[in-house]
mmCIF file of all heavy atoms in Angstrom:
data_model
loop_
_atom_site.group_PDB
_atom_site.id
_atom_site.type_symbol
_atom_site.label_atom_id
_atom_site.label_comp_id
_atom_site.label_asym_id
_atom_site.label_seq_id
_atom_site.Cartn_x
_atom_site.Cartn_y
_atom_site.Cartn_z
ATOM 1 N N GLY U 1 -22.034 1.232 6.332
ATOM 2 C CA GLY U 1 -22.896 0.079 6.578
ATOM 3 C C GLY U 1 -23.930 -0.105 5.481
ATOM 4 O O GLY U 1 -24.192 -1.236 5.031
ATOM 5 N N ASN U 2 -24.507 1.007 5.044
ATOM 6 C CA ASN U 2 -25.502 0.940 3.972
ATOM 7 C C ASN U 2 -24.875 0.417 2.685
ATOM 8 O O ASN U 2 -25.440 -0.455 2.005
ATOM 9 C CB ASN U 2 -26.104 2.327 3.752
ATOM 10 C CG ASN U 2 -27.307 2.301 2.831
ATOM 11 O OD1 ASN U 2 -28.155 1.421 2.920
ATOM 12 N ND2 ASN U 2 -27.391 3.270 1.948
ATOM 13 N N LEU U 3 -23.694 0.916 2.343
ATOM 14 C CA LEU U 3 -23.013 0.475 1.126
ATOM 15 C C LEU U 3 -22.657 -1.004 1.182
ATOM 16 O O LEU U 3 -22.782 -1.724 0.184
ATOM 17 C CB LEU U 3 -21.744 1.299 0.905
ATOM 18 C CG LEU U 3 -21.937 2.733 0.408
ATOM 19 C CD1 LEU U 3 -20.636 3.514 0.505
ATOM 20 C CD2 LEU U 3 -22.459 2.738 -1.029
ATOM 21 N N MET U 4 -22.231 -1.473 2.356
ATOM 22 C CA MET U 4 -21.869 -2.883 2.483
ATOM 23 C C MET U 4 -23.076 -3.792 2.267
ATOM 24 O O MET U 4 -22.971 -4.847 1.632
ATOM 25 C CB MET U 4 -21.255 -3.129 3.859
ATOM 26 C CG MET U 4 -19.866 -2.524 4.019
ATOM 27 S SD MET U 4 -19.306 -2.568 5.735
ATOM 28 C CE MET U 4 -19.255 -4.344 6.018
ATOM 29 N N THR U 5 -24.223 -3.374 2.773
ATOM 30 C CA THR U 5 -25.442 -4.161 2.574
ATOM 31 C C THR U 5 -25.851 -4.162 1.116
ATOM 32 O O THR U 5 -26.203 -5.208 0.548
ATOM 33 C CB THR U 5 -26.583 -3.623 3.443
ATOM 34 O OG1 THR U 5 -26.209 -3.713 4.813
ATOM 35 C CG2 THR U 5 -27.866 -4.418 3.228
ATOM 36 N N VAL U 6 -25.795 -2.999 0.481
ATOM 37 C CA VAL U 6 -26.132 -2.911 -0.939
ATOM 38 C C VAL U 6 -25.165 -3.747 -1.769
ATOM 39 O O VAL U 6 -25.576 -4.435 -2.715
ATOM 40 C CB VAL U 6 -26.144 -1.440 -1.404
ATOM 41 C CG1 VAL U 6 -26.276 -1.349 -2.924
ATOM 42 C CG2 VAL U 6 -27.276 -0.682 -0.726
ATOM 43 N N CYS U 7 -23.889 -3.709 -1.425
ATOM 44 C CA CYS U 7 -22.911 -4.547 -2.133
ATOM 45 C C CYS U 7 -23.293 -6.026 -2.047
ATOM 46 O O CYS U 7 -23.242 -6.749 -3.047
ATOM 47 C CB CYS U 7 -21.521 -4.340 -1.547
ATOM 48 S SG CYS U 7 -20.686 -2.834 -2.089
ATOM 49 N N ALA U 8 -23.680 -6.468 -0.862
ATOM 50 C CA ALA U 8 -24.074 -7.872 -0.690
ATOM 51 C C ALA U 8 -25.266 -8.216 -1.573
ATOM 52 O O ALA U 8 -25.290 -9.257 -2.241
ATOM 53 C CB ALA U 8 -24.394 -8.149 0.776
ATOM 54 N N ILE U 9 -26.250 -7.340 -1.601
ATOM 55 C CA ILE U 9 -27.450 -7.566 -2.416
ATOM 56 C C ILE U 9 -27.095 -7.629 -3.898
ATOM 57 O O ILE U 9 -27.657 -8.422 -4.658
ATOM 58 C CB ILE U 9 -28.487 -6.460 -2.154
ATOM 59 C CG1 ILE U 9 -29.027 -6.574 -0.720
ATOM 60 C CG2 ILE U 9 -29.652 -6.544 -3.152
ATOM 61 C CD1 ILE U 9 -29.856 -5.388 -0.288
ATOM 62 N N GLU U 10 -26.131 -6.795 -4.299
ATOM 63 C CA GLU U 10 -25.753 -6.689 -5.713
ATOM 64 C C GLU U 10 -24.633 -7.654 -6.109
ATOM 65 O O GLU U 10 -24.100 -7.566 -7.218
ATOM 66 C CB GLU U 10 -25.311 -5.252 -6.014
ATOM 67 C CG GLU U 10 -26.421 -4.229 -5.962
ATOM 68 C CD GLU U 10 -27.406 -4.388 -7.110
ATOM 69 O OE1 GLU U 10 -26.950 -4.617 -8.256
ATOM 70 O OE2 GLU U 10 -28.625 -4.301 -6.870
ATOM 71 N N ASP U 11 -24.249 -8.571 -5.205
ATOM 72 C CA ASP U 11 -23.162 -9.519 -5.469
ATOM 73 C C ASP U 11 -21.839 -8.809 -5.764
ATOM 74 O O ASP U 11 -21.047 -9.242 -6.613
ATOM 75 C CB ASP U 11 -23.511 -10.459 -6.626
ATOM 76 C CG ASP U 11 -24.699 -11.350 -6.308
ATOM 77 O OD1 ASP U 11 -24.817 -11.801 -5.157
ATOM 78 O OD2 ASP U 11 -25.532 -11.578 -7.214
ATOM 79 N N ILE U 12 -21.612 -7.730 -5.043
ATOM 80 C CA ILE U 12 -20.354 -6.995 -5.140
ATOM 81 C C ILE U 12 -19.546 -7.289 -3.883
ATOM 82 O O ILE U 12 -20.058 -7.197 -2.772
ATOM 83 C CB ILE U 12 -20.597 -5.477 -5.246
ATOM 84 C CG1 ILE U 12 -21.390 -5.136 -6.516
ATOM 85 C CG2 ILE U 12 -19.278 -4.713 -5.225
ATOM 86 C CD1 ILE U 12 -21.874 -3.689 -6.558
ATOM 87 N N ASP U 13 -18.300 -7.655 -4.059
ATOM 88 C CA ASP U 13 -17.441 -7.896 -2.900
ATOM 89 C C ASP U 13 -16.840 -6.585 -2.418
ATOM 90 O O ASP U 13 -16.597 -5.660 -3.208
ATOM 91 C CB ASP U 13 -16.340 -8.898 -3.258
ATOM 92 C CG ASP U 13 -16.886 -10.309 -3.382
ATOM 93 O OD1 ASP U 13 -17.388 -10.825 -2.377
ATOM 94 O OD2 ASP U 13 -16.817 -10.873 -4.489
ATOM 95 N N ALA U 14 -16.590 -6.511 -1.116
ATOM 96 C CA ALA U 14 -16.096 -5.264 -0.525
ATOM 97 C C ALA U 14 -15.277 -5.569 0.722
ATOM 98 O O ALA U 14 -15.396 -6.645 1.304
ATOM 99 C CB ALA U 14 -17.273 -4.355 -0.171
ATOM 100 N N CYS U 15 -14.470 -4.599 1.118
ATOM 101 C CA CYS U 15 -13.665 -4.750 2.326
ATOM 102 C C CYS U 15 -13.618 -3.421 3.068
ATOM 103 O O CYS U 15 -12.850 -2.523 2.694
ATOM 104 C CB CYS U 15 -12.252 -5.206 1.984
ATOM 105 S SG CYS U 15 -11.228 -5.492 3.453
ATOM 106 N N PRO U 16 -14.438 -3.253 4.108
ATOM 107 C CA PRO U 16 -14.415 -2.002 4.869
ATOM 108 C C PRO U 16 -13.076 -1.823 5.570
ATOM 109 O O PRO U 16 -12.543 -2.753 6.154
ATOM 110 C CB PRO U 16 -15.551 -2.186 5.883
ATOM 111 C CG PRO U 16 -15.677 -3.672 6.039
ATOM 112 C CD PRO U 16 -15.353 -4.245 4.697
ATOM 113 N N MET U 17 -12.522 -0.611 5.501
ATOM 114 C CA MET U 17 -11.191 -0.384 6.037
ATOM 115 C C MET U 17 -11.102 0.938 6.791
ATOM 116 O O MET U 17 -11.504 1.979 6.279
ATOM 117 C CB MET U 17 -10.151 -0.398 4.899
ATOM 118 C CG MET U 17 -9.985 -1.745 4.234
ATOM 119 S SD MET U 17 -9.003 -1.664 2.693
ATOM 120 C CE MET U 17 -7.498 -0.916 3.275
ATOM 121 N N GLU U 18 -10.573 0.858 8.005
ATOM 122 C CA GLU U 18 -10.187 2.042 8.772
ATOM 123 C C GLU U 18 -8.665 2.187 8.791
ATOM 124 O O GLU U 18 -8.153 3.252 9.140
ATOM 125 C CB GLU U 18 -10.677 1.931 10.215
ATOM 126 C CG GLU U 18 -12.178 1.945 10.402
ATOM 127 C CD GLU U 18 -12.557 1.785 11.860
ATOM 128 O OE1 GLU U 18 -12.236 0.720 12.436
ATOM 129 O OE2 GLU U 18 -13.149 2.723 12.419
ATOM 130 N N GLY U 19 -7.966 1.128 8.416
ATOM 131 C CA GLY U 19 -6.512 1.093 8.521
ATOM 132 C C GLY U 19 -5.808 1.818 7.389
ATOM 133 O O GLY U 19 -5.382 1.200 6.403
ATOM 134 N N PHE U 20 -5.703 3.131 7.523
ATOM 135 C CA PHE U 20 -4.969 3.924 6.545
ATOM 136 C C PHE U 20 -4.591 5.247 7.194
ATOM 137 O O PHE U 20 -5.078 5.588 8.281
ATOM 138 C CB PHE U 20 -5.795 4.145 5.265
ATOM 139 C CG PHE U 20 -6.975 5.078 5.429
ATOM 140 C CD1 PHE U 20 -6.915 6.377 4.940
ATOM 141 C CD2 PHE U 20 -8.134 4.664 6.066
ATOM 142 C CE1 PHE U 20 -8.003 7.237 5.079
ATOM 143 C CE2 PHE U 20 -9.225 5.520 6.210
ATOM 144 C CZ PHE U 20 -9.153 6.810 5.712
ATOM 145 N N ASP U 21 -3.713 5.997 6.544
ATOM 146 C CA ASP U 21 -3.257 7.280 7.058
ATOM 147 C C ASP U 21 -4.064 8.396 6.391
ATOM 148 O O ASP U 21 -3.768 8.781 5.251
ATOM 149 C CB ASP U 21 -1.770 7.457 6.758
ATOM 150 C CG ASP U 21 -1.180 8.720 7.366
ATOM 151 O OD1 ASP U 21 -1.953 9.652 7.675
ATOM 152 O OD2 ASP U 21 0.047 8.795 7.523
ATOM 153 N N PRO U 22 -5.086 8.905 7.064
ATOM 154 C CA PRO U 22 -5.947 9.922 6.447
ATOM 155 C C PRO U 22 -5.196 11.159 5.966
ATOM 156 O O PRO U 22 -5.526 11.714 4.908
ATOM 157 C CB PRO U 22 -6.930 10.280 7.565
ATOM 158 C CG PRO U 22 -6.962 9.076 8.442
ATOM 159 C CD PRO U 22 -5.553 8.553 8.412
ATOM 160 N N SER U 23 -4.182 11.586 6.718
ATOM 161 C CA SER U 23 -3.458 12.798 6.320
ATOM 162 C C SER U 23 -2.757 12.607 4.979
ATOM 163 O O SER U 23 -2.719 13.527 4.146
ATOM 164 C CB SER U 23 -2.450 13.194 7.402
ATOM 165 O OG SER U 23 -1.458 12.202 7.571
ATOM 166 N N LYS U 24 -2.198 11.411 4.747
ATOM 167 C CA LYS U 24 -1.535 11.125 3.477
ATOM 168 C C LYS U 24 -2.553 11.017 2.341
ATOM 169 O O LYS U 24 -2.305 11.475 1.217
ATOM 170 C CB LYS U 24 -0.711 9.843 3.580
ATOM 171 C CG LYS U 24 0.543 9.978 4.429
ATOM 172 C CD LYS U 24 1.524 10.957 3.800
ATOM 173 C CE LYS U 24 2.830 10.993 4.589
ATOM 174 N NZ LYS U 24 3.782 11.975 3.987
ATOM 175 N N TYR U 25 -3.682 10.379 2.625
ATOM 176 C CA TYR U 25 -4.751 10.313 1.615
ATOM 177 C C TYR U 25 -5.210 11.713 1.235
ATOM 178 O O TYR U 25 -5.374 12.039 0.050
ATOM 179 C CB TYR U 25 -5.936 9.506 2.163
ATOM 180 C CG TYR U 25 -5.924 8.049 1.778
ATOM 181 C CD1 TYR U 25 -4.942 7.193 2.262
ATOM 182 C CD2 TYR U 25 -6.896 7.515 0.942
ATOM 183 C CE1 TYR U 25 -4.930 5.845 1.923
ATOM 184 C CE2 TYR U 25 -6.901 6.172 0.601
ATOM 185 C CZ TYR U 25 -5.913 5.339 1.088
ATOM 186 O OH TYR U 25 -5.907 4.011 0.749
ATOM 187 N N ASP U 26 -5.416 12.553 2.264
ATOM 188 C CA ASP U 26 -5.878 13.916 2.010
ATOM 189 C C ASP U 26 -4.881 14.674 1.135
ATOM 190 O O ASP U 26 -5.279 15.446 0.253
ATOM 191 C CB ASP U 26 -6.086 14.659 3.327
ATOM 192 C CG ASP U 26 -7.186 14.051 4.182
ATOM 193 O OD1 ASP U 26 -7.887 13.138 3.697
ATOM 194 O OD2 ASP U 26 -7.350 14.486 5.331
#
């Protein structure tokens, strides 16, 4: 949440995501 707010202030676009396979990422 903090990063998303900072991104907005800094004119950085972002997309928060929970949709992924953590075990494969790990």
Side-chain angles (χ1 to χ4, degrees):
N2 190 42
L3 286 168
M4 289 169 63
T5 299
V6 171
C7 281
I9 292 169
E10 291 291 318
D11 296 322
I12 298 170
D13 287 298
C15 183
M17 293 169 56
E18 294 178 297
F20 71 104
D21 185 339
S23 63
K24 288 296 185 181
Y25 265 67
D26 296 353

